[in-house]
Amino acid sequence: MKPLLLTFDLEEFDLGVEWGRPLAIADQIDVTARGLTRLVPLLEAHRVCATFFTTAVFAQARGDLLRGLADAGHEVAVHGLAHQDDYGQMDAVTAVKRLEQARAIVELAAGGRAAGIRTPHLRPCPADRLRAAGFDYDASPHPTWVPTRYNGLRLPRRPWRDSGLLRVPISVLPGCRVPVSFVWYRAVGKRLRPLALAAASRGAPYLHLYFHPWEAEDIRRYGAPAWLAVGTGAAFVTALEALLNWAAPRLRAETVGSFSVAYNRDRGSPAAA
């Protein structure tokens, strides 16, 4: 069975800020925390271990939640110092310093080493900066095109080694490179979701998905546009449960960290494909 790499980004809920609806930082943290408390029991019921990428801002505010995730067997990794950071655009010294600070804060909160990172907004970052900050793998690459965000259409759909760092790309549909995580998963509808998930795992050694705990909240109340808020709240919890039910006989749940260790051990230095 292929691995299911189910991942969640724990961050300040700043979508309202992007759409002109400012929200106090404490409230941004609370939106994510409330969503997380709705998702954890679902993962426990299905005996699924996931990877949670957290910003240092969230880690400092809700270290109790991070320790609970780690104690339950989930992997806690890094999502940057703050969610608005762009480590590819900063000068190298500043970027590495902020990344090191983030890793130290997350490790202290979770009580263990944070081996991996997913950069905020999946923004590209040179491998040497991530390695200098102490990371073994990067779960940021998204082999698709998102207008105004990034263009990863030339990226591989399989893991590859980059200057000593293992890049672990998020799953997309083969050929057309349409995403299957986040808002795309919610928007496609329950009948097409299983087909999209099955297709995204073809030609790759896993199914790697990413979501956000705040998706378990109805984010329309925070100023998110209708197209981005589709399927959030209780509908997202239902959709995630359907995903876990579909995956149970087909895939084995695994953290990105454990997958990365096994992938490197079995293949040495994986090449791009």
Side-chain angles (χ1 to χ4, degrees), residues 36-61:
L36 180 62
T37 59
R38 294 188 176 102
L39 299 183
V40 168
L42 183 59
L43 298 177
E44 291 178 348
H46 286 264
R47 298 182 180 180
V48 167
C49 286
T51 300
F52 290 85
F53 295 95
T54 180
T55 63
V57 171
F58 187 87
Q60 287 180 312

Side-chain angles (χ1 to χ4, degrees), residues 234-258:
F236 173 67
V237 179
T238 299
L240 182 61
E241 183 165 25
L243 187 160
L244 296 176
N245 287 331
W246 172 86
R250 299 173 175 85
L251 304 166
R252 67 177 190 279
E254 189 173 346
T255 66
V256 184
S258 62

Side-chain angles (χ1 to χ4, degrees), residues 148-163:
T148 76
R149 292 291 190 188
Y150 50 82
N151 186 348
L153 289 175
R154 295 182 179 275
L155 295 177
R157 293 179 59 244
R158 300 175 63 89
W160 76 95
R161 175 70 65 177
D162 185 359
S163 300

Side-chain angles (χ1 to χ4, degrees), residues 1-18:
M1 299 174 74
K2 287 184 178 181
L4 168 64
L5 307 183
L6 184 61
T7 70
F8 298 90
D9 295 351
L10 291 168
E11 62 202 30
E12 312 85 86
F13 176 75
D14 53 8
L15 274 179
V17 177
E18 294 185 34

Side-chain angles (χ1 to χ4, degrees), residues 2-3 157-159 169 171-172 199-208 259:
K2 287 184 178 181
R157 293 179 59 244
R158 300 175 63 89
S171 295
V172 297
S201 69
R202 295 185 192 127
Y206 51 54
L207 179 62
H208 181 186
F259 168 82

